[in-house]
Amino acid sequence: MFIHVKETIQPVSIGAPDARFGKMLLEQFGGATGELTAALQYWVQSFHVEDPSIRDMLQDIAVEEFGHLEMVGKLIAQHTSKIDQGDVYDAPLFAMKGVGPHFIDSQGSAWTASYINEGGNVVRDLRANIASEAGARQTYEALIKHCEDDKTKKVLTHLLTREITHTNMFMKALQAMGKLDDPMFGTIAPDETVNVVFNLSRGEDYRGPWNEGNFQYVSEPRAEGGLPPDPVNPDDEKIKRVAAE
Ligand code: MN
Ligand code: MN
């Protein structure tokens, strides 16, 4: 069951409308790192999660992201209101599509479900979510740096902050499963190369925790696979060779 509350979780009001900035804001409405992607990603993940506490967390965050989607949409609506010919020149996208938010990104590309990163395993999903939150946070930072309106900046700073909180929650959930610093998950055991690290970009090589300690560092890797069998194409290539002879 859904119940919609018309009030937003934090105030959403802007100073001066700026249609050009409204176009940039579309990145967090219908873009890859946007709030629709986040809301639907966590929501759909929650359907396959067995652990009721993780499911509850995913649904709490998914619904918060729907609230963020609404906040970004309200910002775009305000920034594109009272649009005049000068503003249309700066943001022709709204001249064509109409004012208010649309499910397109700041470059006009349509939102697509392929932005959603989810699939059948809770560890896989929670790790994907950390990456998604990083993307969202970074986009908000870019938006804040291009924003000239203090009231808009305040809303965007709240939205950026919440992505940090969500990252923390996903990390704590992985930690509770012992999967924050254990790369292995799933039921299929890895092969004997699991701790082998290849130095495949030569010159100015560095060592660090990613190739020291338990890792077996191969400084000069050699091909050990031999040559795979050649493809067999019974048609064109043989015909051409006979013709040439
Ligand atoms: Mn969000
Ligand atoms: Mn988030």
Side-chain angles (χ1 to χ4, degrees):
M1 182 179 85
F2 284 93
I3 293 177
H4 179 244
V5 178
K6 292 181 182 63
E7 287 88 352
T8 49
I9 201 164
Q10 294 268 312
V12 181
S13 71
I14 67 162
D18 177 354
R20 186 194 55 88
F21 189 70
K23 183 169 178 279
M24 289 186 195
L25 279 171
L26 283 171
E27 198 65 25
Q28 284 302 84
F29 194 80
T33 64
E35 300 293 353
L36 181 67
T37 305
L40 293 178
Q41 177 167 313
Y42 309 153
W43 185 243
V44 75
Q45 287 173 355
S46 76
F47 287 86
H48 69 71
V49 170
E50 207 177 300
D51 182 325
S53 63
I54 301 291
R55 195 164 61 227
D56 182 46
M57 175 192 69
L58 285 167
Q59 292 178 347
D60 282 338
I61 301 177
V63 175
E64 185 176 353
E65 304 291 16
F66 279 112
H68 291 177
L69 181 69
E70 184 177 32
M71 291 168 79
V72 174
K74 299 270 180 192
L75 282 177
I76 295 167
Q78 291 174 53
H79 275 289
T80 57
S81 68
K82 301 176 200 159
I83 197 163
D84 66 18
Q85 279 310 110
D87 292 333
V88 168
Y89 178 80
D90 287 337
L93 191 148
F94 294 106
M96 294 297 109
K97 296 279 289 183
V99 299
H102 312 283
F103 283 118
I104 50 181
D105 69 14
S106 60
Q107 308 306 309
S109 299
W111 185 86
T112 160
S114 62
Y115 294 156
I116 294 176
N117 191 344
E118 59 85 25
N121 180 290
V122 67
V123 176
R124 175 226 177 283
D125 282 352
L126 292 174
R127 289 180 182 177
N129 297 354
I130 291 170
S132 300
E133 294 290 340
R137 197 218 65 86
Q138 190 62 21
T139 304
Y140 280 122
E141 177 159 328
L143 285 168
I144 289 164
K145 284 175 177 167
H146 284 91
C147 184
E148 288 164 6
D149 178 56
D150 286 341
K151 289 174 87 175
T152 303
K153 266 188 201 171
K154 190 167 188 302
V155 181
L156 295 176
T157 303
H158 170 72
L159 295 169
L160 174 147
T161 302
R162 298 305 300 162
E163 314 310 15
I164 295 165
T165 308
H166 298 161
T167 306
N168 199 4
M169 294 168 76
F170 292 133
M171 290 173 85
K172 287 287 191 289
L174 279 168
Q175 196 171 37
M177 286 180 242
K179 290 298 173 190
L180 185 60
D181 56 8
D182 175 9
M184 171 61 193
F185 70 99
T187 53
I188 296 175
D191 74 12
E192 68 284 356
T193 66
V194 68
N195 289 323
V196 177
V197 174
F198 300 114
N199 175 34
L200 289 166
S201 173
R202 306 274 178 87
E204 290 193 57
D205 298 323
Y206 295 92
R207 303 299 300 270
W210 54 85
N211 61 19
E212 291 175 337
N214 286 337
F215 290 108
Q216 183 196 329
Y217 184 74
V218 184
S219 59
E220 294 189 14
R222 292 171 179 279
E224 291 173 7
L227 286 173
D230 283 333
V232 178
N233 182 337
D235 305 325
D236 323 29
E237 295 186 48
K238 276 185 188 144
I239 290 164
K240 276 180 204 150
R241 198 179 304 155
V242 169
E245 282 162 5

